[in-house]
Amino acid sequence: MTRFGYTLMTEQNGPKELVANAIEAERVGFDFEVSSDHYSPWLSAQGHSPYAWSVLGAVAHATERVELYSYVTCPTIRYHPVVVAQKSATLQILADGRFVLGLGTGESLNEHVVGKGWPSLDTRQDMLVEAVELIRELHTGELITFRGEYFDADSARLWDVPDTAVPIGIAISGDKSVNRFGPIADHLIATEPNASLVEQWKDIRSSVGDGPVGRSVGQIPISWDPDRDTATARAHDQFRWFAGGWSVNSDLPTTAGFAGATAFVRPEDVAEAIPCGPDLDRIVDAVAPYWDAGFTDIALVQIGGETQQQFLGEIAEPLLEKLRDAAPR
């Protein structure tokens, strides 16, 4: 059965609001919750960016059923892999085995802040492969010394290791990344309904072991509102950053850069790409390409921090019912 998730978008709410939203999302029936991990919002209009791991710890304590994801964390520049290993192990204990560590190569927007520059994509991919190796070694709970091309660990050990291993999902966007990360990831994470990518993923996962191939986890923004014009204006104000595509989005370092790069994106351009307004059937139609492409899990992003409680309280349950009725079982 296709599972549906709720996005705790740290760029559009403060920490207390995010925890309240997480509790309500579990209550209304979402299957899992994913949290972005940013140092800055994409656009200043979004207005927030609390520390995702503090929020996830609180959410793990405040919820009981939903699976939780970091969606996604870059474990190579702003965070050293030994720190990611420790906090993900701790979170898995707090979540009683409900946590999945989602990883990716990152964006300059969040990683440049520590003053170490912004490597090429090939280098970032190499760094991520090495980081995953180090994280998995530390998750064994053994005392390790690690010497890599990019990272070292000296006599490092995690003293609190969960009984349930921490699964790792990796954000993948094309042939190169699926070939690099497919053999080392438990789950696929992607933001476009690319059927060939999912098939490549399944083929690679089938070739590296006899176990399940793992989940394919997608994400889609929506802008529900009783008024379509209001929904469109809000999506344009806060989410037009998507228009540049990933090759641009990963390299821009500031919110001002994103504002400049999207200055000529029109509200109608955003409305064409994102379902805006009260029509739940239109939202279902926009989500359908993900399950058609083979995604097992699909997370929704409701745009606008101020709209979350209304969306969760009034619309989430009937929307989930429509999605589950339409999705393959």
Side-chain angles (χ1 to χ4, degrees):
M1 180 179 291
T2 307
R3 304 193 318 160
F4 296 98
Y6 172 77
T7 299
L8 299 165
M9 195 159 187
T10 58
E11 301 94 299
Q12 61 182 22
N13 274 122
K16 289 186 176 181
E17 291 78 14
L18 288 164
V19 176
N21 296 342
I23 294 169
E24 184 67 4
E26 180 178 64
R27 186 194 69 79
V28 300
F30 281 98
D31 300 304
F32 64 100
E33 299 180 10
V34 306
S35 172
S36 57
D37 183 0
H38 273 229
Y39 198 83
S40 299
W42 297 102
L43 292 166
S44 59
Q46 292 176 314
H48 294 276
S49 203
Y51 185 53
W53 289 84
S54 297
V55 173
L56 279 167
V59 169
H61 185 70
T63 58
E64 297 179 353
R65 174 186 55 79
V66 287
E67 194 171 57
L68 303 174
Y69 284 71
S70 57
Y71 202 92
V72 293
T73 287
C74 177
T76 59
I77 300 176
R78 182 168 43 119
Y79 305 135
H80 192 284
V82 299
V83 175
V84 176
Q86 183 187 37
K87 61 190 179 182
S88 58
T90 298
L91 189 53
Q92 185 70 305
I93 294 169
L94 288 170
D96 295 320
R98 293 181 286 128
F99 178 64
V100 176
L101 175 60
L103 301 176
T105 55
E107 305 94 18
S108 178
L109 176 70
N110 305 299
E111 307 307 318
H112 83 279
V113 295
V114 295
K116 293 185 177 180
W118 185 234
S120 68
L121 178 58
D122 286 344
T123 300
R124 299 199 310 270
Q125 290 186 344
D126 291 342
M127 293 172 76
L128 181 54
V129 170
E130 188 173 295
V132 170
E133 179 185 356
L134 177 51
I135 290 167
R136 288 200 188 275
E137 286 196 29
L138 284 165
H139 279 171
T140 67
E142 300 295 326
L143 179 69
I144 71 163
T145 293
F146 184 97
R147 294 287 180 263
E149 183 177 356
Y150 302 101
F151 306 109
D152 294 333
D154 291 315
S155 303
R157 175 186 172 187
L158 297 184
W159 290 87
D160 290 275
V161 178
D163 294 332
T164 302
V166 181
I168 293 178
I170 298 184
I172 293 171
S173 59
D175 292 345
K176 187 173 183 178
S177 59
V178 75
N179 287 324
R180 290 298 309 277
F181 304 135
I184 64 172
D186 299 305
H187 305 302
L188 163 81
I189 294 172
T191 56
E192 294 182 359
N194 187 329
S196 63
L197 189 70
V198 174
E199 285 305 312
Q200 283 180 267
W201 157 261
K202 289 179 179 178
D203 289 343
I204 291 170
R205 293 306 302 165
S206 296
S207 71
V208 298
D210 297 327
V213 298
R215 298 182 186 132
S216 301
V217 189
Q219 186 183 54
I220 180 172
I222 65 173
S223 184
W224 174 85
D225 194 274
D227 180 72
R228 188 174 188 275
D229 290 341
T230 299
T232 301
R234 184 172 63 240
H236 179 260
D237 184 46
Q238 297 192 23
F239 233 79
R240 68 184 185 277
W241 57 268
F242 80 93
W246 195 247
S247 61
V248 174
N249 291 348
S250 63
D251 286 340
L252 292 174
T254 64
T255 56
F258 279 94
T262 58
F264 298 104
V265 177
R266 302 169 302 172
E268 54 265 38
D269 300 326
V270 174
E272 195 172 305
I274 296 173
C276 297
D279 188 347
L280 299 188
D281 290 328
R282 182 160 184 259
I283 295 174
V284 173
D285 289 342
V287 174
Y290 283 86
W291 63 63
D292 289 340
F295 282 82
T296 60
D297 298 55
I298 306 161
L300 307 181
V301 183
Q302 164 63 7
I303 297 171
E306 73 282 4
T307 71
Q308 300 303 305
Q309 285 295 311
Q310 183 183 14
F311 169 76
L312 290 167
E314 298 179 12
I315 298 304
E317 288 182 270
L319 176 57
L320 284 170
E321 184 177 355
K322 281 181 173 288
L323 288 166
R324 288 171 178 145
D325 285 344
R329 296 178 179 272

